[in-house]
Amino acid sequence: MEKYDHYSLASRHTFGVEAYADYWIDYDSPEDLAALIPILPTGMPVFHMGGGSNLLFMGDYKGVLLHSRIKTLEVVSHAEDVMFLRVGAGWNWDEFVDYCVTHHLYGLENLSLIPGEVGAAAVQNIGAYGEEVGRHIVEVEVMELKTGQRKTISQKDCDYSYRSSRFKTDWKGMYAVLYVTFQLHKHFVPNLTYAPIREFAETVDDRELDAALIREKIIQIRQEKLPDPRLLGNAGSFFKNPVISEKEYQDLQARYAHQQIPAYRTDNGVKIPAAWLIEKCGWKGRKLGRAGVYRKQALVLVNLGGATADEIVALSDRICQDVKSRFGIIIQPEVIFV
Ligand code: EPU
């Protein structure tokens, strides 16, 4: 375990906004965390960090930031077609995906190169290219931050939905994730729901299409479309894609009869790419102060160098207002403000 006072967050989050935490603690095991909980300063805010790739510090953090370095990985059980792996919350997400692909365990390959860590992936229900991590989670082991009590929560009770789970709603801030158990397939069946991946697969001989190739393609797509936070501070998609009713979608499409509005049907309604709405409002590639909209993907806000959190929020607010007044659609940040 390591503890730091007045700790610079520069290397711990990807937006590159300058901020300090009163205290930062890296712990290595559930026992470490259990020993820590009773001695945390009373009345001080506590926030549990992951890889810092989906948040924006609004200023210095006047409290304690906890971070897991639990990096174990064990095979819990086997069945004919599936393997169950119990993974420490502190594993880097993409290293874990790489481990799975290398060991011929399938299901997570479409989630390649997503920044962050295993624990946060289970909180956030990370998703991309037609895949969501919640579909592969069996259970999540947590520790209640108030009491130090351990619990195992089944996948069903996590209530996974698009970019959300109960860890982000009614259980917000209550738990530290210790371990996540995944169910992975031993036989590869490609997930080709995302059109560019399907089109790529059609160019490849069936015998050669494997998870390593899909992973490689996804890494290539992400590197082409998304900024590298080491070069340009960002937190990936800044906004969630809004879901509207079928009726709202039909009305919108009628107003824009001259063009096809991109849309995906979901169980809850019609999902519209926020990037399309933002681009149509003329924001793609534009800047406000030292914050900007990435020129290759309008969903990503970037720190153009020395931006403050206020500048990024001002840009986000302007975009939300413009999308609302032009399309009547409310878009909401996916990024967590701390
Ligand atoms: N589009 C635009 N302008 C742009 C970018 C996209 O009009 O600048 C439109 C196009 O019509 C395009 C559609 O939006 O076909 C969808 O674009 P894309 O496939 O890039 O996906 P997205 O909906 O913008 C979501 C995730 C991404 C994930 C991709 C791929 C959210 C909030 N974002 O973006 O996640 O990589 O799908 O599955 O759901 C992240 O969370 O950080 C992230 C990058």
Side-chain angles (χ1 to χ4, degrees):
M1 175 151 56
E2 271 159 285
K3 299 184 203 169
Y4 305 91
D5 296 354
H6 191 61
Y7 184 75
S8 166
L9 298 168
S11 64
R12 300 290 196 158
H13 73 126
T14 57
F15 236 127
V17 168
E18 203 170 302
Y20 284 79
D22 280 356
Y23 301 100
W24 176 282
I25 305 175
D26 287 306
Y27 61 88
D28 297 287
S29 65
E31 293 71 31
D32 266 7
L33 181 60
L36 202 59
I37 286 172
I39 57 168
L40 288 174
T42 36
M44 221 184 208
V46 175
F47 182 77
H48 202 293
M49 292 282 298
S53 55
N54 195 44
L55 52 78
L56 178 61
F57 284 108
M58 294 308 296
D60 290 342
Y61 190 74
K62 303 278 172 212
V64 184
L65 294 179
L66 296 173
H67 177 245
S68 169
R69 287 195 309 208
I70 305 175
K71 287 187 183 161
T72 54
L73 186 148
E74 57 189 301
V75 175
V76 186
S77 63
H78 275 277
E80 199 184 319
D81 294 332
V82 291
M83 182 171 301
F84 296 90
L85 285 186
R86 180 180 186 247
V87 187
W91 261 73
N92 171 279
W93 174 259
D94 192 55
E95 278 172 28
F96 172 55
V97 175
D98 188 44
Y99 175 95
C100 294
V101 172
T102 310
H103 289 80
H104 309 290
L105 297 171
Y106 307 118
L108 302 179
E109 54 282 350
N110 286 29
L111 302 177
S112 288
L113 209 64
I114 294 185
E117 292 169 0
V118 163
V123 169
Q124 165 78 357
N125 190 19
I126 57 168
Y129 313 106
E131 196 53 83
E132 277 190 2
V133 75
R135 290 172 12 133
H136 299 274
I137 288 176
V138 178
E139 59 188 29
V140 182
E141 289 167 70
V142 299
M143 184 173 286
E144 193 173 358
L145 287 171
K146 252 198 192 131
T147 59
Q149 203 191 341
R150 283 177 76 160
K151 283 186 190 171
T152 299
I153 298 170
S154 70
Q155 188 257 17
K156 191 170 168 291
D157 287 340
C158 293
D159 257 353
Y160 284 119
S161 60
Y162 171 58
R163 297 291 157 100
S164 192
S165 73
R166 281 176 91 181
F167 299 113
K168 290 185 77 179
T169 54
D170 33 326
W171 296 338
K172 193 173 170 187
M174 271 173 70
Y175 298 117
V177 175
L178 304 173
Y179 302 98
V180 183
T181 301
F182 295 90
Q183 174 176 329
L184 298 157
H185 301 284
K186 292 183 183 172
H187 303 289
F188 175 60
V189 179
N191 175 343
L192 303 178
T193 38
Y194 186 77
I197 300 293
R198 190 167 57 244
E199 286 153 19
F200 165 71
E202 281 160 10
T203 67
V204 179
D205 188 302
D206 275 359
R207 285 163 303 183
E208 278 169 29
L209 187 69
D210 62 6
L213 207 57
I214 296 279
R215 173 169 163 77
E216 212 175 281
K217 182 66 188 171
I218 282 171
I219 289 175
Q220 184 205 334
I221 293 177
R222 288 188 77 89
Q223 285 174 337
E224 277 167 13
K225 278 195 188 175
L226 300 168
D228 179 345
R230 287 167 302 184
L231 307 175
L232 202 56
N234 74 89
S237 299
F238 195 90
F239 303 98
K240 287 190 212 178
N241 288 329
V243 177
I244 60 176
S245 69
E246 185 65 42
K247 162 98 178 53
E248 284 167 320
Y249 174 65
Q250 294 304 339
D251 291 349
L252 193 66
Q253 185 58 81
R255 268 171 52 208
Y256 289 85
H258 57 291
Q259 59 187 307
Q260 183 62 42
I261 300 176
Y264 313 94
R265 257 77 191 178
T266 75
D267 293 345
N268 310 321
V270 184
K271 195 188 270 183
I272 311 286
W276 186 87
L277 301 168
I278 296 167
E279 185 171 337
K280 287 289 161 204
C281 290
W283 275 106
K284 192 169 179 174
R286 260 176 76 189
K287 58 182 176 175
L288 190 67
R290 287 165 293 181
V293 179
Y294 191 52
R295 63 190 170 82
K296 295 188 199 166
Q297 170 42 295
L299 204 49
V300 179
L301 301 193
V302 291
N303 176 353
L304 295 167
T308 61
D310 286 346
E311 283 176 296
I312 293 163
V313 172
L315 173 61
S316 156
D317 287 349
R318 279 280 302 277
I319 292 171
C320 292
Q321 280 162 17
D322 284 1
V323 168
K324 170 111 193 324
S325 52
R326 175 143 185 200
F327 295 103
I329 294 178
I330 295 173
I331 57 167
Q332 282 171 334
E334 181 199 320
V335 163
I336 297 164
F337 298 158
V338 182

